[in-house]
Amino acid sequence: MLNHSSSGGRTNGVRVVVAGDRGTGKSSLIAAVASESFSETVPPVLPLTVLPTDFYPDNVPITVVDTSSSLEKQGKRNEELKQADVVVLTYACNEPSTFSRLSSYWLPELERLEVKVPVVVVGCKLDLHDESQQVSLERLMNQLLQQFKEIVTCIECSAVTLYQVPEVFYFAQKAVLHPIDPLFDQESQALTDRCVRALRRIFVLCDRDMDDALSDTELNEFQVKCFDAPLQPSEINGVKTVVQQNVPEGVNSNGLTFPGFLYVHSMFLRKGRPETLWAVLRNYGYDNDLKLRNDSLPVPSKNASDQSVELTNEAVEFLNGIFRLLDTDKDRALRPAEVDKLFCTAPSRNDMGYITLNGFLSQWALMTLLDPPCSVANLIYIGYSGNPAAALRVTRRRSVDRKKQATERNVFQCYVFGSKNSGKSALLDSFLGRPFSNNYTPTTAEQFAANTIELIRGTKKVLVLREIPEGEVPKVLLNQDYLAACDVAIFVYDSSNEHSWKKSRDMLEQVARQGELTGYRVPCLLIAAKDDLTPYPRAVQDSVKATQELGIEAPIHLSMKLGDSSNVFHRIVSVAEHPHLSIPETEIGRKRKQYHRLLQNTLIFASVGTAMAVVGVAALRAYAVKKKSSG
């Protein structure tokens, strides 16, 4: 298969920083590659040197940065190293001590500075090399590679004879544009799991007749897409012969199988041609982390904070079909092995375990709500062949929903507030069908639970419960847009505990005030949890009074321990479907509304008065004109 150069979308060039001990030949190496000649007079430190775009086949410019080895210039050198795309570390072939300094100083120094880029080790002054005293490059390289995984290449050169001088910077550029680490695991000497998954997806896309093999026609289509040139029949037969000799199962009567497809691409790496494999991966939209590039993920943009992103009906139908296809035992649930099969073409497996169709769709809805690009990427990984732009839709603004007193959303996000040990986590567990547990573990970070709610009229909505830890409430409410993504806020309190009730009431008032100040007013519900315990004596009276003052529904009493929580989730969805109701109003909010109403009425009266005055003046003028004409 033909070689192909690809820069992976990099247009701003590659920055190579050259470092090493004094006198190892750094500046002479740079001067030699730039002028293609050797000079006896080279400054101690060269200015920035730019190799032209067409210097190497990838057509990407290279900026070479020379550095000083002196202690006085250490700060500047460190700053340059931190900005490097790749580091060239030099030693002198005629001075073994400079090679020892690579492992005793230079490479540990890069680790200390957290310079996490490829390193090319270069032995300069090869023309002064004394073979009787020097250890072979291969042995030295093996020792370094075992200790420092960031080293990608070791090479010897001579600026005097120009031997392998251009190769130094070619390998440096190549390490950036076509990195080996994402593709090949040096320890196992095999393709990385992520690379195998990417190639599996490419193989599946190329296997148009879905017979688990690439025919000659399919191989040619693949070749043309990636390398802009077809394969001759003799070349196809040659590839198959090589594969069959090394991987017998790599070829069958239908063509090249997936093991054979893997072998061909691993062969490129063994021959030192990672750019060929990268050409394939980048043609199919992968970045250097072997994830789909953002420019291949068309995600619709939200114009306002109170909009959200959902799967379209087309995408949901696709997921329904995928679920049915994978549910081979027809038990209406995917086993872990079936989930593994689904995500075998994704960069990493989604740990869903045993999951029903409702749970499956709910997890996709949650992923889309929180991370739309990730959702689109995963749809593509598992074989969504439609237009990715048609897989997601942006919902109408929640503020518009309140004005229209209706919503078109299919996914509702509910924020769950409450004090510690009030029963928030137990509510989420109950929502997911998990058994009640008396063991209490404080929630320290936001938690999510998503499930499908089937309504009486047969429609289904996805409800997402988002638990907010008590300690995080002041911080999250500092974000002016935090409530924009909320459809319903619920406040859980332990009905047997006075402190729990007061804490939830305070949180409710904070959220209500925040909504009034920002304009993101949300429907609210109070939930009196632990109804199986003896209630706090004044809890019922106080809670009813509080809800009346705020103008929302009376608290919902339930006990997760007794398992009577199912109705509350339907109530939450019902409130979300009527976004103009159950919105709390504080005393300050009422006064502000009265003030605006009074101001509006005043303006109306002023407008009427002005209009009457204008009419009066006009009538007076008309009377005067009439009187004058009659006189």
Side-chain angles (χ1 to χ4, degrees):
M1 294 186 182
L2 299 177
N3 201 340
H4 179 84
S5 295
S6 170
S7 64
R10 179 182 284 267
T11 57
N12 58 345
V14 173
R15 191 176 184 86
V16 182
V17 176
V18 183
D21 280 353
R22 179 180 299 173
T24 55
K26 299 187 297 295
S27 301
S28 293
L29 172 65
I30 299 169
V33 75
S35 64
E36 300 184 39
S37 62
F38 175 71
S39 172
E40 294 284 355
T41 57
V42 177
V45 179
L46 291 172
L48 287 183
T49 302
V50 179
L51 303 184
T53 300
D54 58 355
F55 202 86
Y56 295 117
D58 281 299
N59 292 316
V60 173
I62 297 176
T63 300
V64 185
V65 182
D66 195 6
T67 60
S68 171
S69 305
S70 67
L71 287 174
E72 295 80 9
K73 301 294 177 99
Q74 183 176 10
K76 180 172 173 44
R77 182 183 70 233
N78 290 348
E79 287 304 311
E80 293 291 0
L81 288 169
K82 290 177 181 179
Q83 296 177 48
D85 294 317
V86 56
V87 172
V88 168
L89 286 182
T90 61
Y91 68 95
C93 291
N94 62 328
E95 295 182 43
S97 61
T98 60
F99 180 84
S100 300
R101 284 266 296 168
L102 296 179
S103 56
S104 65
Y105 175 74
W106 287 105
L107 288 160
E109 179 70 358
L110 292 181
E111 292 179 350
R112 185 186 71 81
L113 294 172
E114 297 184 349
V115 177
K116 299 177 181 179
V117 297
V119 174
V120 176
V121 172
V122 180
C124 300
K125 304 186 180 182
L126 185 60
D127 54 295
L128 301 179
H129 174 73
D130 183 351
E131 292 188 9
S132 65
Q133 297 180 3
Q134 296 297 312
V135 182
S136 71
L137 173 63
E138 184 178 355
R139 180 178 169 188
L140 295 174
M141 184 177 75
N142 287 337
Q143 292 173 351
L144 278 180
L145 287 174
Q146 289 176 6
Q147 188 176 358
F148 301 99
K149 302 299 182 185
E150 59 270 30
I151 298 175
V152 293
T153 303
C154 290
I155 184 174
E156 291 178 326
C157 69
S158 168
V160 172
T161 65
L162 298 182
Y163 175 71
Q164 294 199 140
V165 167
E167 284 82 351
V168 168
F169 297 95
Y170 170 70
F171 285 126
Q173 184 195 62
K174 189 175 177 179
V176 177
L177 301 183
H178 316 295
I180 291 288
D181 284 351
L183 308 178
F184 196 75
D185 187 336
Q186 299 291 347
E187 292 184 6
S188 65
Q189 287 293 294
L191 296 175
T192 61
D193 178 67
R194 184 165 284 197
C195 182
V196 171
R197 288 172 178 270
L199 289 174
R200 185 183 295 278
R201 170 180 168 258
I202 293 169
F203 180 86
V204 170
L205 291 174
C206 294
D207 183 20
R208 295 184 181 278
D209 55 10
M210 295 185 290
D211 63 351
D212 295 326
L214 300 185
S215 66
D216 291 0
T217 300
E218 290 167 339
L219 271 174
N220 247 327
E221 290 174 352
F222 164 77
Q223 173 74 11
V224 171
K225 175 178 173 63
C226 295
F227 305 105
D228 300 323
L231 285 169
Q232 298 302 316
S234 59
E235 292 175 308
I236 293 178
N237 290 331
V239 169
K240 288 181 180 178
T241 300
V242 171
V243 170
Q244 201 157 29
Q245 289 172 349
N246 293 275
V247 187
E249 71 275 17
V251 177
N252 64 21
S253 58
N254 293 324
L256 190 71
T257 65
F258 182 62
F261 191 69
L262 281 183
Y263 177 78
V264 170
H265 289 91
S266 63
M267 190 168 59
F268 292 137
L269 293 183
R270 291 190 178 94
K271 290 184 176 180
R273 292 168 55 189
E275 62 272 20
T276 304
L277 178 47
W278 275 118
V280 172
L281 294 166
R282 285 168 180 150
N283 264 289
Y284 281 87
Y286 288 93
D287 62 15
N288 279 11
D289 295 321
L290 291 184
K291 295 180 180 179
L292 290 175
R293 294 191 305 270
N294 289 335
D295 60 11
S296 65
L297 304 175
V299 178
S301 299
K302 296 190 296 182
N303 296 318
S305 301
D306 60 346
Q307 291 179 298
S308 57
V309 180
E310 295 181 356
L311 294 167
T312 60
N313 290 334
E314 179 182 327
V316 172
E317 282 304 309
F318 166 77
L319 292 172
N320 269 293
I322 285 288
F323 187 95
R324 289 192 296 269
L325 185 66
L326 291 172
D327 184 20
T328 53
D329 52 11
K330 306 303 178 187
D331 62 350
R332 298 183 181 180
L334 295 185
R335 294 176 286 110
E338 292 168 331
V339 174
D340 281 344
K341 185 177 180 181
L342 172 62
F343 288 101
C344 68
T345 53
S348 57
R349 175 182 174 272
N350 282 32
D351 188 13
M352 293 184 178
Y354 286 88
I355 188 167
T356 64
L357 176 59
N358 281 344
F360 181 70
L361 295 177
S362 298
Q363 288 213 24
W364 278 97
L366 176 61
M367 188 194 315
T368 307
L369 180 73
L370 301 180
D371 193 348
C374 179
S375 180
V376 172
N378 276 303
L379 281 170
I380 295 172
Y381 289 135
I382 67 173
Y384 183 75
S385 58
N387 180 4
L392 305 184
R393 74 179 188 95
V394 176
T395 64
R396 191 168 63 189
R397 293 190 62 177
R398 288 175 173 86
S399 57
V400 175
D401 285 348
R402 283 194 293 274
K403 290 177 182 177
K404 292 184 176 292
Q405 302 185 2
T407 182
E408 300 170 343
R409 295 173 190 273
N410 294 312
V411 181
F412 297 122
Q413 182 166 207
C414 171
Y415 288 3
V416 183
F417 296 94
S419 64
K420 294 177 182 177
N421 203 18
S422 60
K424 301 189 299 297
S425 298
L427 181 68
L428 268 69
D429 287 340
S430 173
F431 185 46
L432 297 176
R434 295 171 181 166
F436 176 79
S437 173
N438 283 311
N439 297 326
Y440 170 64
T441 303
T443 301
T444 57
E446 289 188 348
Q447 296 188 116
F448 293 86
N451 212 336
T452 302
I453 301 297
E454 189 163 353
L455 305 179
I456 298 175
R457 56 186 179 275
T459 58
K460 292 182 178 181
K461 300 290 184 181
V462 175
L463 177 61
V464 175
L465 299 184
R466 182 172 186 166
E467 180 183 353
I468 318 295
E470 179 186 348
E472 293 295 306
V473 174
K475 184 172 73 175
V476 299
L477 289 183
L478 287 175
N479 179 355
Q480 296 293 305
D481 291 336
Y482 191 74
L483 294 178
C486 180
D487 293 294
V488 182
I490 62 174
F491 301 84
V492 182
Y493 64 94
D494 177 352
S495 57
S496 68
N497 184 290
E498 178 182 8
H499 170 76
S500 181
W501 153 244
K502 290 182 177 179
K503 198 72 181 176
S504 289
R505 183 190 61 195
D506 290 344
M507 290 181 189
L508 170 58
E509 291 176 351
Q510 288 179 52
V511 168
R513 285 196 298 270
Q514 177 81 339
E516 290 170 343
L517 287 172
T518 61
Y520 299 126
R521 303 177 65 204
V522 297
C524 296
L525 286 175
L526 273 169
I527 294 182
K530 304 187 181 183
D531 203 38
D532 53 293
L533 302 178
T534 304
Y536 159 60
R538 294 187 56 188
V540 175
Q541 182 181 348
D542 286 355
S543 61
V544 170
K545 181 181 177 183
T547 54
Q548 288 176 343
E549 289 175 349
L550 292 168
I552 61 174
E553 294 183 24
I556 302 170
H557 290 263
L558 58 85
S559 167
M560 267 69 80
K561 186 174 184 179
L562 299 178
D564 61 353
S565 61
S566 59
N567 183 54
V568 71
F569 305 122
H570 284 82
R571 290 278 296 277
I572 293 171
V573 170
S574 177
V575 169
E577 287 191 304
H578 301 87
H580 60 297
L581 303 176
S582 303
I583 296 178
E585 190 173 45
T586 65
E587 184 64 29
I588 295 175
R590 274 191 291 272
K591 289 180 179 178
R592 187 182 293 114
K593 186 185 288 186
Q594 289 172 358
Y595 171 76
H596 286 304
R597 191 179 294 120
L598 179 63
L599 182 62
Q600 189 176 21
N601 290 338
T602 302
L603 291 173
I604 291 172
F605 286 137
S607 299
V608 171
T610 302
M612 290 182 68
V614 170
V615 171
V617 170
L620 185 60
R621 285 178 178 170
Y623 173 76
V625 170
K626 185 178 180 181
K627 184 177 181 182
K628 185 177 180 181
S629 61
S630 62

